[in-house]
Amino acid sequence: MDKQARQYRRWTMWTVLLAALISMGWRAWAVLQLHRGKMSQLILQLVIFAVFTVFLYLFLYHSGHGRWHSVLAYAMSIVFLNLTSILLADLLTMLHNSTHLPALIMAPLGILLMVGIAILFAKVVLPEIKSTLGRTLMLLFVVFSAFGLYPTMFWSPMGLAKHGILGDVIDTNLMGILMFVLASFVLAPLWHIKLPRWRFNKNLRWSILLIAVVVGTAYVIFNGFSTADQWQTLLTHWAVPHYPKLNLFYQALEAGIGEEWLHRGLIISLLLTLPQHWAHRSPFTLALISGAIFGLWHITNLVVQNVPATVNQMISAFGGGLFMAALYFYSGSISLAILMHTMTDLMGFFATGTVISTTPNLYQWEITIITTLIFVAAAALLTMGKQRAVAQQTLDSLT
């Protein structure tokens, strides 16, 4: 371990420990003087933070090699994200309660604290995870979720998540996802992966790209304006979405930016670090893998949806993820995938007034299968045959 890395680790440890001491002191004062909370809860928190301190010390001062260090790296990634957010949320709440500063001041302070967590986590903890599979799983199920929940944890105790535009941005996790994107700029060089591309490929055929955009736009329009629930009413049942709510717009923006940056951006770059014969024999193969991961990832929606609705959504997400990956590969720019994803979710949310899927009927199952097959065909058009060389150009630039 070089001298600079050791300094970062030492600075991280003392910063977190100082925050823990202040947080525990404030919680003890609240219990003893203001009777806010129970002594048993305070003792439990003290035990948790003591264990966390031991783990932190072992992780930061361990030699950095061997299976034991790998276990520590995974444990610290989970613990660090969750407990440090509680510590810094306590500090922010203490400041708010003692000074009664307005939201105009507290919100930027909260953002600075979130940036601090993002940089520390990306700089000190995550680089110690060496396995591509481990990195992918951490991004999917720990990092992305934790950053999404950070703003609510920070600002809800102060009432900032209840009012106005700031409240909507916090409640829909958009602020946390922007912090996740920011953290990736620190993390990517340490993992030796490339960030998503923005520039279009110079030698793409605009006519082919236009066909793909038309396919995606047609799906967006169908998803937002069709109200049919059987084939007999497909051509007659159309309506303007009834729920154009600002919070649904933020929710769609959060999904479009966050999920594309995660799945088509970082995870694609991680897959490209795998051996040639496994991950990227062809752009279409990699697009299939991306779609499969994206579809399986939606199984987490079982928490708020029933099984049929979630399975239907997983199939749809597979097709959409495959198409978005192929669109990214052929165009060379993540912007199209972000725009298409955002508009798809936005029109769907506006049409139903919710982000939760309902139980599909037979017609909806058939529509899902047909649209998925269309997306597979469109992805093949963008990544196979004469277009393969253009799509491969994007992958080559990411390796």
Side-chain angles (χ1 to χ4, degrees):
M1 185 189 306
D2 59 32
K3 184 178 180 181
Q4 184 181 23
R6 190 174 296 278
Q7 288 177 343
Y8 269 116
R9 288 187 168 201
R10 188 180 297 113
W11 186 82
T12 299
M13 176 179 176
W14 288 111
T15 299
V16 173
L17 289 180
L18 178 61
L21 289 173
I22 296 174
S23 173
M24 288 299 96
W26 175 68
R27 287 178 178 271
W29 179 78
V31 170
L32 298 175
Q33 301 295 326
L34 303 179
H35 304 289
R36 294 177 182 171
K38 298 179 180 180
M39 182 61 71
S40 59
Q41 294 176 342
L42 176 61
I43 294 174
L44 178 60
Q45 290 169 344
L46 287 171
V47 172
I48 292 174
F49 285 122
V51 173
F52 169 63
T53 302
V54 173
F55 269 96
L56 182 65
Y57 178 83
L58 290 174
F59 173 75
L60 295 180
Y61 284 92
H62 193 262
S63 61
H65 302 286
R67 182 172 298 179
W68 169 239
H69 187 77
S70 298
V71 173
L72 277 175
Y74 286 104
M76 277 305 304
S77 295
I78 298 171
V79 173
F80 188 96
L81 275 176
N82 290 280
L83 291 188
T84 54
S85 63
I86 297 174
L87 297 177
L88 295 183
D90 280 352
L91 298 181
L92 200 63
T93 305
M94 288 169 55
L95 181 62
H96 177 69
N97 291 342
S98 60
T99 63
H100 302 288
L101 292 173
L104 185 63
I105 296 177
M106 294 304 301
L109 286 176
I111 292 174
L112 288 176
L113 287 175
M114 290 178 64
V115 170
I117 291 178
I119 292 176
L120 283 177
F121 182 67
K123 188 75 176 178
V124 177
V125 182
L126 272 185
E128 298 303 313
I129 297 177
K130 308 299 184 182
S131 164
T132 299
L133 177 60
R135 290 173 173 180
T136 302
L137 292 175
M138 289 302 299
L139 286 178
L140 284 172
F141 298 107
V142 178
V143 182
F144 190 79
S145 300
F147 275 101
L149 294 175
Y150 268 7
T152 303
M153 183 176 290
F154 273 15
W155 292 318
S156 289
M158 297 179 292
L160 297 182
K162 299 179 181 178
H163 307 290
I165 294 178
L166 177 62
D168 287 336
V169 171
I170 294 172
D171 286 341
T172 57
N173 300 334
L174 178 58
M175 186 68 73
I177 293 308
L178 294 178
M179 293 301 102
F180 168 76
V181 172
L182 176 63
S184 71
F185 280 85
V186 178
L187 176 63
L190 298 174
W191 274 1
H192 305 290
I193 61 175
K194 299 288 186 66
L195 289 170
R197 286 181 35 153
W198 292 94
R199 293 184 179 181
F200 286 85
N201 286 325
K202 294 181 179 180
N203 57 340
L204 64 81
R205 294 173 58 189
W206 290 100
S207 58
I208 297 295
L209 185 61
L210 180 61
I211 292 174
V213 171
V214 168
V215 170
T217 303
Y219 180 75
V220 168
I221 294 173
F222 179 83
N223 195 46
F225 292 89
S226 176
T227 59
D229 59 359
Q230 54 183 337
W231 288 106
Q232 289 82 350
T233 59
L234 177 61
L235 299 178
T236 58
H237 283 52
W238 296 77
V240 176
H242 299 292
Y243 304 94
K245 298 178 180 179
L246 191 58
N247 68 313
L248 293 177
F249 168 74
Y250 292 139
Q251 193 78 52
L253 198 60
E254 177 266 332
I257 296 174
E259 293 178 9
E260 290 307 309
W261 194 266
L262 171 65
H263 286 271
R264 256 58 68 185
L266 300 181
I267 292 179
I268 289 293
S269 293
L270 280 173
L271 291 176
L272 288 171
T273 65
L274 292 172
Q276 175 78 22
H277 65 86
W278 192 92
H280 47 108
R281 289 174 294 180
S282 72
F284 185 74
T285 301
L286 192 57
L288 277 173
I289 296 172
S290 176
I293 293 174
F294 190 54
L296 291 172
W297 184 65
H298 280 75
I299 198 172
T300 56
N301 289 337
L302 281 172
V303 176
V304 294
Q305 298 173 173
N306 60 34
V307 174
T310 302
V311 172
N312 183 271
Q313 188 180 47
M314 290 170 65
I315 296 172
S316 180
F318 162 72
L322 167 63
F323 175 69
M324 298 298 176
L327 187 63
Y328 173 37
F329 297 162
Y330 187 73
S331 68
S333 175
I334 194 79
S335 59
L336 272 183
I338 290 175
L339 178 62
M340 199 69 69
H341 191 150
T342 300
M343 291 305 300
T344 299
D345 283 359
L346 181 65
M347 298 309 296
F349 296 164
F350 279 5
T352 62
T354 180
V355 300
I356 300 175
S357 299
T358 56
T359 304
N361 59 23
L362 179 60
Y363 164 79
Q364 291 166 330
W365 279 108
E366 293 170 345
I367 286 293
T368 296
I369 294 173
I370 291 172
T371 55
T372 298
L373 292 175
I374 293 173
F375 280 145
V376 171
L381 172 66
L382 291 170
T383 57
M384 300 179 73
K386 295 181 179 180
Q387 313 338 306
R388 174 172 176 170
V390 179
Q392 189 66 49
Q393 178 182 336
T394 299
L395 301 184
D396 291 342
S397 70
L398 294 172
T399 57

